[in-house]
Amino acid sequence: MARLERRVGKDVAPAIAEGNTARIRFTAKGVTSQRRRLGISAADYGKLIGVTAHTIYKWEHGISHPRRAQLTALASIRHLSKTEAIAHLEQMREKAPKRRTLKR
């Protein structure tokens, strides 16, 4: 399941060239303000990037920092509007495989 989320996160917006990842800045305050500007939960924000809600929590509180690939995903969604972010989340929900229900 985690592999699917990571693959989807990279497809959200055009990728940034690998040579430019050294110039991408990251701040915990920036992640928090962007997520609040979009008006989405940490879980939905994580889906856009391809990480879990817990990872977003740790980034926002300065406990950990994103890896290079995650920085690229963060930069690629930096300029999304609220409407675009919600549209991407809806597309991801439509593409996601249906979960099986267990019979008891």
Side-chain angles (χ1 to χ4, degrees):
M1 184 73 170
R3 289 183 185 165
L4 175 65
E5 289 177 358
R6 287 187 182 137
R7 194 171 15 145
V8 170
K10 291 179 183 178
D11 295 336
V12 170
I16 295 176
E18 280 296 319
N20 294 337
T21 56
R23 299 178 64 193
I24 299 172
R25 294 182 306 186
F26 167 80
T27 62
K29 185 178 177 181
V31 172
T32 304
S33 65
Q34 181 185 16
R35 184 176 66 81
R36 288 187 179 157
R37 178 182 61 82
L38 294 174
I40 57 177
S41 67
D44 284 342
Y45 191 72
K47 287 177 187 175
L48 286 174
I49 297 171
V51 297
T52 65
H54 188 68
T55 300
I56 299 299
Y57 173 85
K58 291 188 331 187
W59 291 351
E60 289 181 348
H61 289 85
I63 297 169
S64 66
H65 298 284
R67 297 181 185 139
R68 182 174 290 147
Q70 296 163 340
L71 277 174
T72 304
L74 277 169
S76 68
I77 66 165
R78 189 171 284 164
H79 300 291
L80 284 181
S81 69
K82 186 174 185 176
T83 307
E84 292 171 329
I86 292 170
H88 282 300
L89 287 168
E90 288 299 320
Q91 287 177 352
M92 291 166 59
R93 286 185 183 112
E94 290 172 4
K95 289 181 183 179
K98 303 289 183 194
R99 289 189 174 184
R100 292 179 19 193
T101 58
L102 297 176
K103 295 180 181 178
R104 291 186 181 199

XYZ file of all heavy atoms in Angstrom:
823
model
N 0.819 -1.183 0.000
C 0.000 0.000 0.000
C 0.864 1.248 0.000
O 0.561 2.195 -0.678
C -0.917 -0.046 1.215
C -1.865 1.083 1.272
S -3.130 0.840 0.041
C -4.233 2.107 0.506
N 1.951 1.271 0.758
C 2.812 2.448 0.828
C 3.459 2.732 -0.528
O 3.644 3.869 -0.895
C 3.878 2.256 1.891
N 3.779 1.696 -1.265
C 4.387 1.909 -2.575
C 3.425 2.604 -3.522
O 3.816 3.466 -4.274
C 4.822 0.587 -3.181
C 6.010 -0.001 -2.484
C 6.444 -1.267 -3.152
N 7.525 -1.869 -2.398
C 7.942 -3.085 -2.543
N 7.357 -3.870 -3.419
N 8.934 -3.549 -1.838
N 2.176 2.267 -3.458
C 1.174 2.900 -4.301
C 1.079 4.383 -3.982
O 1.050 5.215 -4.870
C -0.195 2.244 -4.113
C -1.351 2.909 -4.850
C -1.143 2.783 -6.350
C -2.665 2.298 -4.446
N 1.076 4.740 -2.699
C 0.986 6.147 -2.295
C 2.196 6.934 -2.791
O 2.057 8.040 -3.260
C 0.884 6.260 -0.786
C -0.437 5.788 -0.249
C -0.510 5.839 1.248
O 0.482 6.210 1.894
O -1.555 5.495 1.772
N 3.357 6.374 -2.697
C 4.555 7.085 -3.152
C 4.522 7.310 -4.658
O 4.866 8.361 -5.145
C 5.796 6.300 -2.773
C 6.078 6.380 -1.304
C 7.397 5.752 -0.976
N 7.589 5.817 0.461
C 8.059 4.845 1.190
N 8.424 3.725 0.641
N 8.191 4.978 2.482
N 4.072 6.319 -5.399
C 4.004 6.443 -6.845
C 2.984 7.511 -7.231
O 3.218 8.316 -8.104
C 3.638 5.102 -7.465
C 3.863 5.031 -8.925
C 3.680 3.620 -9.427
N 3.016 2.769 -8.470
C 2.174 1.816 -8.780
N 1.881 1.592 -10.021
N 1.615 1.070 -7.859
N 1.866 7.527 -6.555
C 0.824 8.512 -6.846
C 1.321 9.905 -6.522
O 1.088 10.839 -7.256
C -0.466 8.173 -6.051
C -1.467 9.294 -6.149
C -1.068 6.897 -6.587
N 2.018 10.061 -5.409
C 2.515 11.369 -5.003
C 3.433 11.994 -6.035
O 3.432 13.196 -6.232
N 4.215 11.192 -6.724
C 5.119 11.717 -7.737
C 4.380 12.117 -9.002
O 4.869 12.910 -9.783
C 6.189 10.678 -8.077
C 7.148 10.452 -6.934
C 8.165 9.400 -7.287
C 9.074 9.135 -6.089
N 10.049 8.113 -6.350
N 3.170 11.571 -9.216
C 2.405 11.886 -10.416
C 1.531 13.126 -10.265
O 0.899 13.540 -11.217
C 1.499 10.703 -10.790
C 2.314 9.491 -11.186
O 3.468 9.674 -11.597
O 1.790 8.373 -11.074
N 1.491 13.725 -9.093
C 0.574 14.830 -8.839
C 0.889 16.040 -9.701
O 0.024 16.607 -10.332
C 0.605 15.217 -7.344
C -0.139 16.504 -7.109
C -0.015 14.109 -6.534
N 2.118 16.465 -9.740
C 2.496 17.649 -10.502
C 3.783 17.340 -11.256
O 4.460 16.360 -10.980
C 2.692 18.828 -9.569
N 4.142 18.176 -12.217
C 5.372 17.919 -12.956
C 6.577 17.849 -12.030
O 6.691 18.630 -11.094
C 5.493 19.132 -13.889
C 4.186 19.807 -13.862
C 3.458 19.367 -12.652
N 7.429 16.887 -12.296
C 8.610 16.708 -11.453
C 9.636 17.800 -11.718
O 9.721 18.341 -12.809
C 9.226 15.331 -11.719
N 10.396 18.106 -10.703
C 11.465 19.088 -10.822
C 12.737 18.325 -11.161
O 12.964 17.228 -10.677
C 11.619 19.864 -9.508
C 10.342 20.664 -9.271
C 12.822 20.758 -9.518
C 10.315 21.393 -7.972
N 13.558 18.907 -11.993
C 14.791 18.239 -12.425
C 15.640 17.880 -11.210
O 15.700 18.620 -10.235
C 15.573 19.138 -13.367
N 16.302 16.751 -11.267
C 17.099 16.261 -10.148
C 18.190 17.243 -9.733
O 18.522 17.346 -8.582
C 17.744 14.912 -10.506
C 16.811 13.746 -10.368
C 16.357 13.515 -8.940
O 17.178 13.622 -8.011
O 15.173 13.240 -8.753
N 18.738 17.991 -10.665
C 19.803 18.932 -10.344
C 19.332 20.078 -9.472
O 20.123 20.722 -8.806
N 18.045 20.364 -9.449
C 17.526 21.494 -8.691
C 17.123 21.143 -7.266
O 16.696 22.030 -6.537
C 16.310 22.093 -9.412
C 16.690 22.705 -10.735
O 17.840 23.071 -10.953
N 15.724 22.824 -11.620
N 17.246 19.911 -6.843
C 16.796 19.546 -5.502
C 17.644 20.186 -4.424
O 17.172 20.384 -3.314
C 16.787 18.017 -5.310
O 18.080 17.506 -5.589
C 15.731 17.377 -6.183
N 18.885 20.522 -4.714
C 19.737 21.158 -3.717
C 19.256 22.573 -3.411
O 19.549 23.109 -2.353
C 21.182 21.184 -4.201
N 18.487 23.181 -4.298
C 18.038 24.552 -4.113
C 16.657 24.641 -3.467
O 16.176 25.728 -3.204
C 18.008 25.254 -5.461
C 19.397 25.303 -6.102
C 19.364 25.949 -7.442
N 18.966 27.348 -7.270
C 18.602 28.139 -8.251
N 18.569 27.676 -9.472
N 18.256 29.380 -8.024
N 16.020 23.524 -3.198
C 14.692 23.524 -2.588
C 14.849 23.737 -1.092
O 15.577 23.014 -0.421
C 13.949 22.201 -2.861
C 13.761 22.005 -4.357
C 12.598 22.192 -2.154
C 13.219 20.652 -4.727
N 14.139 24.746 -0.571
C 14.213 25.030 0.855
C 13.052 24.343 1.571
O 11.970 24.202 1.021
C 14.135 26.530 1.107
C 15.336 27.266 0.571
C 15.243 28.715 0.881
N 13.958 29.242 0.378
C 13.633 30.515 0.400
N 14.456 31.397 0.885
N 12.465 30.918 -0.069
N 13.308 23.958 2.801
C 12.284 23.316 3.618
C 12.264 23.958 4.989
O 13.309 24.135 5.617
C 12.565 21.817 3.772
C 11.717 21.182 4.840
C 10.408 20.836 4.578
C 12.221 20.972 6.112
C 9.616 20.278 5.562
C 11.440 20.413 7.092
C 10.134 20.060 6.816
N 11.073 24.318 5.440
C 10.883 24.749 6.825
C 9.606 24.103 7.345
O 8.646 23.912 6.598
C 10.751 26.274 6.957
O 9.610 26.710 6.237
C 11.990 26.999 6.454
N 9.617 23.788 8.622
C 8.430 23.186 9.236
C 7.261 24.161 9.168
O 6.129 23.770 8.875
C 8.735 22.813 10.685
N 7.542 25.425 9.399
C 6.503 26.452 9.348
C 5.899 26.556 7.942
O 4.704 26.773 7.776
C 7.086 27.791 9.768
C 6.092 28.898 9.874
C 6.759 30.178 10.338
C 5.775 31.318 10.377
N 6.425 32.567 10.801
N 6.734 26.367 6.918
C 6.255 26.430 5.537
C 5.285 25.305 5.202
O 4.283 25.520 4.521
N 5.577 24.113 5.693
C 4.687 22.977 5.449
C 3.349 23.209 6.139
O 2.285 23.005 5.554
C 5.321 21.649 5.934
C 4.333 20.504 5.862
C 6.550 21.321 5.108
N 3.403 23.686 7.377
C 2.179 23.952 8.132
C 1.338 25.020 7.452
O 0.123 24.851 7.277
C 2.531 24.399 9.562
O 3.347 23.412 10.173
C 1.274 24.602 10.393
N 1.972 26.105 7.042
C 1.205 27.197 6.430
C 0.636 26.793 5.077
O -0.487 27.174 4.738
C 2.063 28.455 6.300
O 3.130 28.249 5.408
N 1.378 26.004 4.307
C 0.856 25.569 3.012
C -0.335 24.637 3.190
O -1.351 24.769 2.502
C 1.927 24.868 2.188
C 1.398 24.446 0.837
C 2.389 23.649 0.036
O 3.367 23.154 0.555
N 2.135 23.516 -1.243
N -0.242 23.723 4.127
C -1.344 22.797 4.367
C -2.587 23.543 4.841
O -3.700 23.290 4.387
C -0.943 21.738 5.390
C -2.008 20.688 5.610
C -1.549 19.592 6.551
N -1.314 20.047 7.896
C -2.281 20.227 8.805
N -3.535 20.020 8.478
N -1.988 20.621 10.024
N -2.403 24.504 5.704
C -3.540 25.300 6.190
C -4.115 26.175 5.081
O -5.322 26.388 5.009
C -3.124 26.140 7.381
C -2.924 25.290 8.614
C -2.672 26.110 9.835
N -2.501 25.223 10.987
C -1.869 25.562 12.079
N -1.362 26.785 12.207
N -1.748 24.712 13.065
N -3.242 26.699 4.213
C -3.710 27.516 3.085
C -4.587 26.688 2.162
O -5.612 27.163 1.660
C -2.515 28.069 2.300
C -2.893 28.899 1.082
C -1.658 29.363 0.321
N -0.836 28.288 -0.183
C -1.071 27.618 -1.315
N -2.106 27.904 -2.057
N -0.250 26.659 -1.705
N -4.220 25.431 1.969
C -5.009 24.538 1.127
C -6.267 24.053 1.841
O -7.203 23.594 1.193
C -4.164 23.335 0.685
C -2.998 23.645 -0.242
C -2.171 22.390 -0.484
C -3.477 24.234 -1.547
N -6.282 24.144 3.155
C -7.450 23.739 3.914
C -7.687 22.242 3.918
O -8.823 21.786 3.895
N -6.605 21.465 3.954
C -6.739 20.009 3.938
C -6.071 19.411 5.170
O -5.235 20.049 5.816
C -6.155 19.383 2.656
C -4.689 19.745 2.474
C -6.956 19.808 1.440
C -4.031 19.116 1.265
N -6.437 18.198 5.484
C -5.871 17.507 6.646
C -4.444 17.047 6.352
O -4.001 17.020 5.198
C -6.730 16.297 6.995
O -6.646 15.334 5.961
N -3.758 16.660 7.413
C -2.403 16.137 7.244
C -2.425 14.846 6.432
O -1.509 14.589 5.641
C -1.756 15.896 8.606
N -3.479 14.053 6.590
C -3.589 12.805 5.829
C -3.729 13.093 4.336
O -3.063 12.456 3.506
C -4.775 11.989 6.318
N -4.585 14.063 3.976
C -4.759 14.408 2.563
C -3.505 15.067 1.998
O -3.120 14.808 0.861
C -5.969 15.330 2.377
C -7.281 14.578 2.476
O -7.270 13.338 2.340
O -8.315 15.232 2.692
N -2.860 15.896 2.778
C -1.627 16.534 2.331
C -0.549 15.468 2.088
O 0.180 15.518 1.105
C -1.166 17.551 3.374
C -0.060 18.450 2.910
C -0.288 19.456 1.988
C 1.235 18.306 3.406
C 0.731 20.290 1.570
C 2.260 19.129 3.008
C 2.001 20.123 2.088
O 3.014 20.948 1.663
N -0.506 14.490 2.976
C 0.434 13.387 2.802
C 0.153 12.584 1.552
O 1.076 12.135 0.869
N -1.130 12.398 1.223
C -1.479 11.674 0.002
C -0.993 12.410 -1.227
O -0.557 11.793 -2.202
C -2.985 11.462 -0.084
C -3.494 10.422 0.885
C -4.992 10.292 0.818
C -5.485 9.369 1.918
N -6.947 9.304 1.966
N -1.058 13.729 -1.211
C -0.563 14.513 -2.354
C 0.935 14.330 -2.550
O 1.425 14.291 -3.675
C -0.859 16.002 -2.158
C -2.296 16.449 -2.341
C -2.439 17.914 -1.975
C -2.750 16.218 -3.767
N 1.653 14.188 -1.447
C 3.107 14.066 -1.518
C 3.560 12.618 -1.633
O 4.575 12.318 -2.240
C 3.740 14.731 -0.278
C 3.414 16.220 -0.302
C 5.244 14.532 -0.237
C 3.791 16.948 0.941
N 2.764 11.717 -1.054
C 3.128 10.303 -1.095
C 3.710 9.817 0.208
O 4.529 8.900 0.225
N 3.305 10.441 1.329
C 3.760 10.027 2.653
C 2.544 9.893 3.565
O 1.432 10.227 3.183
C 4.774 11.032 3.251
C 6.028 11.111 2.404
C 4.144 12.408 3.405
N 2.768 9.449 4.780
C 1.672 9.274 5.732
C 1.380 10.577 6.480
O 2.195 11.509 6.488
C 2.014 8.186 6.765
O 3.123 8.635 7.540
C 2.321 6.861 6.091
N 0.244 10.605 7.148
C -0.131 11.760 7.961
C 0.848 11.935 9.120
O 1.172 13.063 9.509
C -1.550 11.583 8.492
N 1.336 10.836 9.650
C 2.299 10.915 10.750
C 3.606 11.582 10.300
O 4.214 12.342 11.057
C 2.565 9.525 11.318
C 3.395 9.533 12.564
N 2.940 10.045 13.755
C 4.657 9.112 12.789
C 3.888 9.940 14.666
N 4.946 9.370 14.096
N 4.013 11.308 9.086
C 5.214 11.943 8.545
C 5.005 13.451 8.438
O 5.902 14.236 8.787
C 5.562 11.349 7.170
O 5.797 9.956 7.317
C 6.787 12.013 6.577
N 3.841 13.872 7.964
C 3.531 15.301 7.878
C 3.580 15.927 9.267
O 4.147 17.015 9.463
C 2.147 15.531 7.225
C 2.115 14.974 5.807
C 1.768 17.006 7.244
C 3.111 15.599 4.855
N 3.024 15.246 10.256
C 3.054 15.727 11.635
C 4.498 15.937 12.091
O 4.835 16.964 12.684
C 2.334 14.723 12.552
C 2.465 15.047 14.017
C 1.589 15.944 14.623
C 3.469 14.479 14.792
C 1.720 16.256 15.973
C 3.609 14.785 16.133
C 2.734 15.680 16.719
O 2.878 16.002 18.042
N 5.358 14.957 11.822
C 6.756 15.054 12.254
C 7.477 16.187 11.528
O 8.302 16.886 12.130
C 7.473 13.723 12.051
C 6.949 12.666 13.001
C 7.681 11.353 13.055
C 8.393 10.851 11.877
N 8.932 9.496 12.017
N 7.171 16.420 10.250
C 7.772 17.537 9.527
C 7.312 18.861 10.113
O 8.101 19.771 10.299
C 7.400 17.497 8.052
C 8.003 16.384 7.263
C 8.973 15.511 7.659
C 7.666 16.027 5.933
N 9.250 14.626 6.650
C 8.470 14.916 5.576
C 6.759 16.511 5.008
C 8.402 14.310 4.332
C 6.697 15.905 3.762
C 7.504 14.824 3.429
N 6.017 18.983 10.384
C 5.463 20.240 10.897
C 5.984 20.587 12.286
O 6.061 21.756 12.645
C 3.934 20.181 10.929
C 3.294 20.224 9.573
C 1.784 20.180 9.606
O 1.195 19.898 10.667
O 1.197 20.430 8.541
N 6.334 19.586 13.064
C 6.841 19.824 14.407
C 8.366 19.798 14.479
O 8.938 19.863 15.571
C 6.224 18.816 15.378
C 4.785 19.094 15.629
N 3.787 18.634 14.795
C 4.169 19.811 16.590
C 2.620 19.053 15.247
N 2.816 19.769 16.330
N 9.031 19.687 13.347
C 10.484 19.744 13.303
C 11.179 18.507 13.832
O 12.368 18.539 14.123
N 10.453 17.416 13.937
C 11.034 16.175 14.452
C 11.899 15.510 13.388
O 12.942 14.940 13.688
C 9.919 15.222 14.934
C 9.166 15.876 16.095
C 10.484 13.873 15.341
C 7.892 15.165 16.477
N 11.468 15.590 12.142
C 12.237 15.006 11.041
C 12.160 15.919 9.824
O 11.413 16.899 9.821
C 11.724 13.603 10.706
O 10.416 13.682 10.195
N 12.938 15.583 8.820
C 12.991 16.373 7.585
C 12.775 15.458 6.385
O 13.141 14.284 6.431
C 14.346 17.070 7.451
C 14.616 18.028 8.556
N 14.033 19.263 8.632
C 15.390 17.918 9.662
C 14.442 19.882 9.713
N 15.274 19.082 10.363
N 12.206 15.976 5.308
C 11.948 15.137 4.130
C 13.231 14.749 3.398
O 14.238 15.474 3.439
C 11.064 16.027 3.242
C 11.301 17.410 3.716
C 11.685 17.330 5.151
N 13.164 13.618 2.742
C 14.270 13.168 1.892
C 14.235 13.932 0.572
O 13.308 14.678 0.297
C 14.135 11.676 1.636
C 14.241 10.863 2.884
C 14.127 9.389 2.574
N 14.116 8.638 3.817
C 13.342 7.609 4.044
N 12.521 7.180 3.121
N 13.386 6.987 5.200
N 15.227 13.706 -0.255
C 15.341 14.427 -1.526
C 14.116 14.234 -2.415
O 13.568 15.199 -2.964
C 16.595 13.986 -2.267
C 16.796 14.737 -3.583
C 18.106 14.397 -4.226
N 19.149 14.977 -3.396
C 20.356 14.433 -3.221
N 20.654 13.303 -3.804
N 21.253 15.017 -2.463
N 13.640 13.006 -2.573
C 12.467 12.738 -3.416
C 11.230 13.414 -2.837
O 10.375 13.903 -3.572
C 12.239 11.239 -3.553
N 11.134 13.439 -1.529
C 9.996 14.084 -0.882
C 10.078 15.601 -1.019
O 9.054 16.273 -1.152
C 9.918 13.665 0.585
C 9.644 12.184 0.747
C 9.952 11.658 2.128
O 10.695 12.265 2.890
N 9.373 10.515 2.455
N 11.282 16.149 -0.998
C 11.455 17.586 -1.239
C 10.972 17.952 -2.636
O 10.337 18.984 -2.838
C 12.926 17.983 -1.077
C 13.411 18.244 0.326
C 14.919 18.481 0.320
C 12.696 19.418 0.948
N 11.269 17.089 -3.592
C 10.817 17.315 -4.959
C 9.295 17.317 -5.025
O 8.698 18.178 -5.667
C 11.387 16.227 -5.891
O 12.802 16.223 -5.782
C 11.001 16.487 -7.327
N 8.664 16.381 -4.336
C 7.201 16.323 -4.318
C 6.616 17.545 -3.625
O 5.613 18.110 -4.079
C 6.738 15.046 -3.633
N 7.240 17.982 -2.529
C 6.786 19.197 -1.836
C 6.858 20.412 -2.746
O 5.933 21.217 -2.808
C 7.642 19.447 -0.591
C 7.284 18.691 0.667
C 8.380 18.853 1.715
C 5.969 19.170 1.223
N 7.965 20.532 -3.457
C 8.130 21.674 -4.356
C 7.156 21.623 -5.518
O 6.701 22.664 -5.999
C 9.570 21.720 -4.874
N 6.813 20.423 -5.963
C 5.925 20.305 -7.118
C 4.485 20.687 -6.792
O 3.734 21.083 -7.680
C 5.983 18.903 -7.709
O 5.426 17.979 -6.810
N 4.088 20.596 -5.523
C 2.721 20.983 -5.171
C 2.667 22.338 -4.484
O 1.601 22.795 -4.080
C 2.038 19.921 -4.278
C 2.703 19.833 -2.928
C 1.974 18.590 -4.973
C 1.860 19.087 -1.916
N 3.783 22.997 -4.370
C 3.869 24.273 -3.649
C 2.929 25.331 -4.210
O 2.389 26.135 -3.472
C 5.313 24.771 -3.662
C 5.547 25.966 -2.770
C 7.005 26.264 -2.662
N 7.606 25.283 -1.753
C 8.900 25.057 -1.650
N 9.742 25.709 -2.405
N 9.355 24.181 -0.799
N 2.725 25.352 -5.500
C 1.929 26.407 -6.130
C 0.516 25.964 -6.490
O -0.148 26.624 -7.273
C 2.656 26.938 -7.362
C 3.995 27.520 -7.013
N 4.136 28.691 -6.298
C 5.250 27.068 -7.227
C 5.415 28.942 -6.112
N 6.111 27.977 -6.672
N 0.059 24.847 -5.933
C -1.310 24.405 -6.191
C -2.299 25.313 -5.463
O -2.039 25.756 -4.347
C -1.525 22.975 -5.684
C -0.953 21.822 -6.478
C -1.303 20.506 -5.799
C -1.458 21.827 -7.887
N -3.416 25.550 -6.100
C -4.485 26.272 -5.419
C -5.316 25.273 -4.628
O -5.171 24.051 -4.790
C -5.369 26.993 -6.426
O -6.105 26.060 -7.193
N -6.196 25.780 -3.788
C -7.057 24.907 -2.993
C -7.925 24.038 -3.899
O -8.081 22.844 -3.671
C -7.931 25.769 -2.082
C -8.758 25.012 -1.110
C -9.465 25.964 -0.158
C -10.203 25.210 0.916
N -10.809 26.113 1.902
N -8.462 24.630 -4.962
C -9.314 23.896 -5.899
C -8.523 22.798 -6.609
O -9.018 21.673 -6.766
C -9.908 24.861 -6.943
O -10.554 25.932 -6.259
C -10.885 24.160 -7.848
N -7.299 23.105 -7.029
C -6.467 22.112 -7.716
C -6.095 20.962 -6.780
O -6.101 19.800 -7.188
C -5.200 22.764 -8.261
C -5.441 23.727 -9.394
C -4.193 24.511 -9.757
O -3.365 24.780 -8.865
O -4.057 24.855 -10.947
N -5.772 21.289 -5.534
C -5.403 20.239 -4.578
C -6.572 19.295 -4.332
O -6.393 18.069 -4.319
C -4.951 20.879 -3.266
N -7.759 19.853 -4.166
C -8.941 19.016 -3.938
C -9.242 18.165 -5.169
O -9.599 16.995 -5.058
C -10.144 19.883 -3.522
C -9.871 20.473 -2.126
C -11.435 19.086 -3.531
C -10.840 21.527 -1.685
N -9.053 18.738 -6.359
C -9.280 17.986 -7.596
C -8.297 16.822 -7.703
O -8.677 15.710 -8.102
C -9.158 18.901 -8.799
N -7.026 17.050 -7.354
C -6.029 15.970 -7.384
C -6.395 14.869 -6.396
O -6.267 13.679 -6.704
C -4.638 16.500 -7.057
C -3.981 17.214 -8.186
N -3.707 16.618 -9.392
C -3.545 18.489 -8.294
C -3.124 17.494 -10.192
N -3.027 18.637 -9.545
N -6.855 15.250 -5.212
C -7.254 14.249 -4.222
C -8.432 13.424 -4.722
O -8.474 12.204 -4.521
C -7.596 14.925 -2.895
C -6.400 15.453 -2.108
C -6.869 16.360 -0.975
C -5.562 14.307 -1.583
N -9.395 14.066 -5.377
C -10.540 13.345 -5.927
C -10.103 12.361 -7.011
O -10.587 11.233 -7.076
C -11.584 14.320 -6.485
C -12.337 15.073 -5.418
C -13.118 14.162 -4.482
O -13.717 13.182 -4.964
O -13.121 14.439 -3.273
N -9.181 12.795 -7.871
C -8.656 11.901 -8.918
C -7.959 10.704 -8.294
O -8.101 9.576 -8.761
C -7.679 12.639 -9.821
C -8.320 13.613 -10.757
C -7.281 14.367 -11.568
O -6.078 14.261 -11.318
N -7.741 15.140 -12.527
N -7.212 10.932 -7.232
C -6.502 9.849 -6.573
C -7.483 8.870 -5.936
O -7.253 7.664 -5.958
C -5.541 10.415 -5.529
C -4.375 11.160 -6.150
S -3.437 12.167 -5.007
C -2.888 10.981 -3.824
N -8.573 9.376 -5.384
C -9.580 8.498 -4.780
C -10.274 7.653 -5.840
O -10.611 6.508 -5.605
C -10.598 9.325 -4.002
C -10.054 9.848 -2.698
C -11.102 10.570 -1.889
N -10.500 11.114 -0.692
C -10.333 12.407 -0.459
N -10.749 13.306 -1.333
N -9.761 12.817 0.657
N -10.493 8.227 -7.017
C -11.132 7.479 -8.100
C -10.215 6.390 -8.635
O -10.666 5.312 -9.000
C -11.524 8.425 -9.232
C -12.672 9.353 -8.886
C -12.922 10.402 -9.955
O -12.243 10.355 -11.003
O -13.780 11.256 -9.731
N -8.920 6.674 -8.706
C -7.957 5.716 -9.240
C -7.597 4.626 -8.245
O -7.144 3.560 -8.641
C -6.665 6.439 -9.645
C -6.809 7.290 -10.862
C -5.480 7.934 -11.202
C -5.586 8.851 -12.387
N -4.304 9.485 -12.693
N -7.775 4.895 -6.953
C -7.378 3.936 -5.923
C -8.207 2.663 -6.049
O -9.410 2.716 -6.282
C -7.565 4.542 -4.546
N -7.562 1.515 -5.893
C -8.309 0.261 -5.967
C -9.294 0.170 -4.800
O -9.034 0.647 -3.706
C -7.231 -0.813 -5.860
C -6.055 -0.147 -5.271
C -6.160 1.310 -5.621
N -10.412 -0.454 -5.063
C -11.434 -0.633 -4.033
C -10.930 -1.636 -3.001
O -10.312 -2.648 -3.339
C -12.744 -1.147 -4.642
C -13.299 -0.271 -5.727
C -13.838 1.009 -5.150
C -14.447 1.828 -6.268
N -14.701 3.172 -5.927
N -11.211 -1.350 -1.751
C -10.807 -2.263 -0.687
C -11.791 -3.416 -0.586
O -12.990 -3.228 -0.732
C -10.756 -1.541 0.649
C -9.615 -0.586 0.729
C -9.501 -0.074 2.122
N -8.302 0.740 2.240
C -7.910 1.264 3.369
N -8.600 1.087 4.465
N -6.816 1.984 3.405
N -11.247 -4.561 -0.330
C -12.088 -5.743 -0.168
C -12.648 -5.758 1.248
O -11.978 -5.388 2.197
C -11.285 -7.007 -0.403
C -10.857 -7.162 -1.820
C -10.051 -8.392 -2.081
N -10.180 -9.434 -1.066
C -9.389 -10.477 -0.983
N -8.430 -10.626 -1.842
N -9.557 -11.378 -0.051
N -13.860 -6.218 1.379
C -14.439 -6.389 2.701
C -14.310 -7.835 3.123
O -14.458 -8.748 2.302
C -15.924 -5.968 2.726
O -16.628 -6.740 1.765
C -16.066 -4.500 2.411
N -14.043 -8.044 4.360
C -13.874 -9.388 4.882
C -15.222 -9.931 5.316
O -16.016 -9.237 5.956
C -12.922 -9.391 6.088
C -11.500 -8.947 5.791
C -10.714 -8.902 7.098
C -10.837 -9.915 4.824
N -15.475 -11.171 4.959
C -16.698 -11.824 5.377
C -16.441 -12.519 6.695
O -15.449 -13.200 6.860
C -17.161 -12.831 4.327
C -17.537 -12.184 3.025
C -17.988 -13.226 2.030
C -18.338 -12.571 0.725
N -18.732 -13.572 -0.277
N -17.365 -12.360 7.593
C -17.180 -12.998 8.912
C -18.223 -14.035 9.139
O -19.271 -14.078 8.732
C -17.246 -11.958 10.008
C -16.047 -11.063 9.925
C -16.039 -10.137 11.100
N -14.853 -9.279 10.939
C -14.324 -8.617 11.886
N -14.844 -8.655 13.084
N -13.284 -7.884 11.704
